[in-house]
Amino acid sequence: MQIQVNTDNNVQGREDVIRFVETTVQSKLGAIAEHLTRVEVHIGDENGPKGGGKHMRCMVEARPEGRAPVAVTHNDSNIKSAITHAIDKMRNALDSDLGKLKKHR
């Protein structure tokens, strides 16, 4: 499973964020990694330097082998929380998608 992380110019501590994403993806999606070819994570600060509210956005797109891509998004006030919740949503979506696949075999 390849992990690709993209951030906008407003995200501070890019290298730390990338490490956090990679660790979180491995821990939460590692058990189903054999079914995934790539996971792309896009992180951005929607309000830029203005701040305020749930302005940190994390979009996760997973590409299950031989299946259509699955994408989820989560907005939060904290970058780590946005990442964690988005990856949790992805795990739930993939569990559902892969469960349907197993059911039809």
Side-chain angles (χ1 to χ4, degrees), residues 42 46 57-60 71-75 82 85-86 89-90:
H42 300 268
E46 293 187 330
R57 179 177 187 269
C58 181
M59 193 278 291
V60 180
V72 298
T73 302
H74 187 82
N75 287 49
H85 289 306
K89 284 182 179 180
M90 178 55 71

Side-chain angles (χ1 to χ4, degrees), residues 5 7 10-11 14 17-18 24-26 28-30 38 44 55 57 64 67 76 80-82 93:
V5 182
T7 63
N10 296 314
V11 174
R14 184 174 169 4
V17 170
I18 290 171
T24 306
V25 167
Q26 289 292 347
K28 294 185 180 282
L29 302 181
R38 184 170 73 216
H55 58 97
R57 179 177 187 269
R67 308 275 293 165
D76 212 305
K80 288 186 176 182
S81 183

Side-chain angles (χ1 to χ4, degrees), residues 7-93:
T7 63
D8 70 14
N9 293 334
N10 296 314
V11 174
Q12 302 296 316
R14 184 174 169 4
E15 295 303 318
D16 291 337
V17 170
I18 290 171
R19 278 192 295 279
F20 180 77
V21 168
E22 290 172 344
T23 301
T24 306
V25 167
Q26 289 292 347
S27 71
K28 294 185 180 282
L29 302 181
I32 57 173
E34 65 190 35
H35 300 287
L36 303 175
T37 57
R38 184 170 73 216
V39 175
E40 290 185 40
V41 180
H42 300 268
I43 303 161
D45 184 343
E46 293 187 330
N47 291 348
K50 292 184 278 184
K54 293 186 175 186
H55 58 97
M56 298 308 297
R57 179 177 187 269
C58 181
M59 193 278 291
V60 180
E61 181 181 300
R63 297 180 180 261
E65 201 168 65
R67 308 275 293 165
V70 178
V72 298
T73 302
H74 187 82
N75 287 49
D76 212 305
S77 58
N78 175 302
I79 193 166
K80 288 186 176 182
S81 183
I83 292 165
T84 301
H85 289 306
I87 294 171
D88 285 341
K89 284 182 179 180
M90 178 55 71
R91 178 59 194 252
N92 291 337

